[in-house]
């Protein structure tokens, strides 16, 4: 099963509750999460923390894929070495 979470606008602490609810509405288990960052204009350290929480939540499952980030978002992910923790497309 693949679950896609679309991020729109600013990906920061103001989106924390919605982001967490979007993946916790699915029971833990084997599934693939795709975080679609195409609509994300900005990403800060709290967003990186939320991605790490998703990774931990899905620890017993399969992978978490981060996709379609713009240049600025992809630079943040690259600088933070998130390519070692996530599949970035």
């Amino acid at each position: 099963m693949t679950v896609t979470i679309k991020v729109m606008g600013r990906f920061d602490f103001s989106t924390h509750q919605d982001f967490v609810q979007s993946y916790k509405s699915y029971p833990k288990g084997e599934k693939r999460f795709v975080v679609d960052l195409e609509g994300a204009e900005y990403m800060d350290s709290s967003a990186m923390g939320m991605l790490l929480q998703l990774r931990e939540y899905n620890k017993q499952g399969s992978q978490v894929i981060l996709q379609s980030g713009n240049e600025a978002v992809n630079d943040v992910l690259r600088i933070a070495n998130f390519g070692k923790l996530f599949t970035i497309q």
Side-chain angles (χ1 to χ4, degrees):
M1 173 183 201
T2 299
V3 176
T4 300
I5 301 169
K6 291 186 180 248
V7 177
M8 303 299 291
R10 294 179 63 86
F11 190 17
D12 57 20
F13 190 73
S14 67
T15 63
H16 181 265
Q17 186 174 2
D18 290 337
F19 186 79
V20 171
Q21 286 178 345
S22 69
Y23 68 81
K24 286 199 172 175
S25 64
Y26 295 91
K28 291 183 181 183
E30 292 200 17
K31 63 185 66 64
R32 179 170 72 161
F33 284 96
V34 175
V35 181
D36 183 346
L37 298 167
E38 184 176 13
E41 301 164 359
Y42 168 83
M43 179 178 176
D44 69 4
S45 60
S46 63
M48 290 188 290
M50 289 183 270
L51 292 172
L52 292 171
Q53 287 177 329
L54 170 58
R55 182 175 181 264
E56 185 66 25
Y57 181 80
N58 200 42
K59 191 174 186 178
Q60 302 303 320
S62 56
Q63 65 189 146
V64 176
I65 298 171
L66 309 178
Q67 75 177 17
S68 302
N70 65 28
E71 186 177 342
V73 168
N74 284 336
D75 282 347
V76 169
L77 296 171
R78 182 183 48 77
I79 290 168
N81 285 320
F82 268 40
K84 294 181 179 182
L85 302 173
F86 300 92
T87 301
I88 300 176
Q89 298 176 342

